[in-house]
């Protein structure tokens, strides 16, 4: 059976098991419908808060997952909340979740250390554009967004939980260059590593078990 992966949350493609590590959650999805038959799809999905489940501190975060092996592990703009030592260890834990030939993709803020001046110019331009939109009232700023969320009846409990975990309002973000991630993936035991996408200072790195 051909195995494919897509960088999106939700149900997995047919016959594919995926684990999705996103902002504030760990999810595992499965679609076991045989491709040649038009039988009803059978899917399972489990969601957990990685900070409550210990993703930032212990391998025990894997215990609630419904399977011991996956074809793909996908994560986007989530792991920069972890310190270097924990992220390096997590890469090895994610490798252990994968079947032979399985794929890990991590998309995050990963500047290209071979283009330091260009990266700085791109970041400065993006910052100027955002600040102009904030000043014009086109969109709320980061702090304004959280104020709106805290005033929302449904989101207020989640905002309170965030403040409990990060009393200062945010994690100490750590955004190493893409070369660090590639080295860490290699050290974690992936047989192939590389950059599969880049947009400015953001990138997606992949590791194949």
């Amino acid at each position: 059976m051909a195995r494919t992966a897509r960088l999106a949350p939700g149900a997995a493609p047919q016959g594919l098991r995926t684990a999705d590590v996103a902002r504030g959650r760990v999810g595992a999805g499965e679609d076991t419908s045989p491709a040649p038959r038009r039988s009803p799809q059978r899917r399972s999905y489990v969601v957990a808060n990685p900070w409550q489940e210990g993703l930032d501190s212990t391998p025990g975060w894997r215990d609630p997952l419904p399977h011991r092996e996956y074809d793909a592990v996908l994560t986007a703009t989530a792991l920069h909340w972890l310190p270097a030592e924990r992220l390096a260890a997590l890469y090895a834990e994610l490798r252990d979740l994968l079947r032979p030939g399985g794929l890990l993709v991590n998309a995050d803020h990963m500047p290209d250390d071979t283009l330091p001046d260009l990266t700085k110019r791109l970041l400065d331009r993006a910052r100027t554009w955002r600040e102009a939109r904030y000043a014009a009232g086109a969109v709320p700023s980061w702090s304004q967004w959280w104020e709106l969320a805290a005033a929302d009846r449904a989101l207020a409990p989640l905002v309170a939980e965030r403040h409990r975990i990060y009393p200062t309002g945010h994690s100490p973000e750590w955004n190493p260059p893409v070369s660090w991630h590639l080295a860490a993936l290699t050290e974690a035991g992936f047989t192939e590593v590389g950059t599969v996408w880049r947009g400015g200072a953001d990138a997606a790195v992949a590791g194949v078990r």
Side-chain angles (χ1 to χ4, degrees):
M1 178 184 297
R3 294 176 177 178
T4 60
R6 59 182 180 181
L7 283 173
Q14 291 185 345
L16 178 73
R17 289 179 179 175
T18 63
D20 178 37
V21 182
R23 294 178 187 267
R25 75 180 186 192
V26 173
E30 178 183 18
D31 180 350
T32 57
S33 298
R37 295 180 296 168
R38 299 300 181 183
S39 59
Q41 293 182 342
R42 301 187 303 277
R43 294 171 177 154
S44 63
Y45 198 76
V46 60
V47 174
N49 187 317
W51 319 119
Q52 292 178 344
E53 297 298 332
L55 180 61
D56 57 343
S57 61
T58 173
W61 67 271
R62 293 173 291 187
D63 295 341
L65 294 176
H67 306 289
R68 298 301 94 188
E69 290 185 325
Y70 290 87
D71 299 291
V73 175
L74 316 175
T75 171
T77 58
L79 301 186
H80 63 268
W81 289 65
L82 303 180
E85 299 79 8
R86 180 63 194 124
L87 179 52
L90 180 63
Y91 275 155
E93 294 162 17
L94 294 174
R95 175 195 173 278
D96 291 341
L97 275 181
L98 293 169
R99 295 170 174 172
L103 176 70
L104 164 66
V105 177
N106 177 23
D108 216 322
H109 311 303
M110 302 178 188
D112 186 338
D113 40 356
T114 65
L115 297 170
D117 292 337
L118 178 59
T119 298
K120 182 179 183 303
R121 281 187 282 160
L122 291 172
L123 289 172
D124 289 343
R125 177 169 181 168
R127 185 180 305 108
T128 300
W129 180 75
R130 286 196 308 271
E131 291 175 350
R133 298 192 74 201
Y134 298 157
V139 293
S141 67
W142 177 257
S143 59
Q144 290 170 337
W145 189 94
W146 283 105
E147 291 172 0
L148 293 171
D152 182 272
R153 180 179 301 178
L155 296 177
L158 300 176
V159 176
E161 176 69 3
R162 177 179 182 269
H163 286 315
R164 184 190 67 80
I165 299 172
Y166 297 107
T168 61
H170 208 283
S171 72
E173 288 190 7
W174 181 69
N175 299 306
V178 69
S179 60
W180 184 94
H181 291 274
L182 298 179
L185 289 169
T186 300
E187 181 66 23
F190 287 89
T191 59
E192 297 179 15
V193 303
T195 303
V196 294
W197 172 84
R198 172 164 293 284
D202 298 331
V205 294
V208 179
R209 175 166 184 175

